[in-house]
Amino acid sequence: MFELLWRGILIGIGATILMDLWAILLHRFFGQPKANWAPGGRWFWHLSRGTVFHENIAAAEPYAHELALGWAGHYAVGILYGAVFAFIVGPGWFSAPTFVPAWIFGIVTVAAGWFLMQPGMGIGWAASKTPKPNKVRFLNLAAHTVFALGLYGSAFLIR
């Protein structure tokens, strides 16, 4: 059990790093805005105080360390996902990793953003209140596919 946990933590970190590198690539070469985890940090801070849903997270009470909390939360979720995935697939997957289980899991994890975090921050279910919701949804699916590649690739690195 401990071995699965540490492997899950490592692949979660690796997958989250790859996802962040993807965001940097999108920013540098395709003009996407830089990742800003401050609103996420504000949401995590309010979540810890019992408020899940906001009309507009920007109008919620600020938190002095929300950017740091946002990044920490981003990595904590990635690590949690890695650990959960490790326990789902078991030790056999780590001896011969395959992409499809990681990809299915990566796509499933989009649901937490679409149906918890995005409405919680006031941008609607699956970004429905944003100016271009389909673009946001596509980028979410792409980012979580990259996360899945990170789970898969990190598993190879720690074999």
Side-chain angles (χ1 to χ4, degrees):
M1 183 161 108
F2 179 73
E3 183 173 335
L4 272 180
L5 179 61
W6 78 259
R7 287 180 183 270
I9 289 169
L10 290 176
I11 66 170
I13 291 168
T16 306
I17 289 170
L18 189 62
M19 189 182 210
D20 290 337
L21 292 172
W22 170 252
I24 291 167
L25 180 120
L26 288 176
H27 173 69
R28 285 202 179 150
F29 297 104
F30 299 100
Q32 284 299 313
K34 282 185 176 181
N36 178 9
W37 282 100
R42 186 177 295 186
W43 182 73
F44 285 128
W45 185 71
H46 283 279
L47 185 63
S48 73
R49 280 146 183 75
T51 305
V52 179
F53 297 101
H54 298 266
E55 285 296 316
N56 179 356
I57 196 67
E61 180 186 350
Y63 171 62
H65 308 288
E66 57 194 27
L67 179 60
L69 181 58
W71 278 103
H74 169 59
Y75 273 83
V77 169
I79 290 167
L80 177 64
Y81 284 166
V84 167
F85 179 70
F87 283 102
I88 289 171
V89 295
W93 183 84
F94 283 94
S95 61
T98 55
F99 177 65
V100 171
W103 190 39
I104 291 169
F105 185 78
I107 296 303
V108 167
T109 62
V110 172
W114 284 359
F115 304 116
L116 179 62
M117 190 173 193
Q118 290 174 356
M121 293 175 55
I123 63 172
W125 303 101
S128 61
K129 294 181 181 178
T130 63
K132 296 181 179 179
N134 286 332
K135 178 181 178 183
V136 174
R137 293 170 189 149
F138 173 78
L139 289 171
N140 292 158
L141 289 168
H144 282 251
T145 295
V146 170
F147 182 82
L149 285 167
L151 291 173
Y152 173 66
S154 296
F156 271 106
L157 291 175
I158 64 170
R159 280 186 359 172

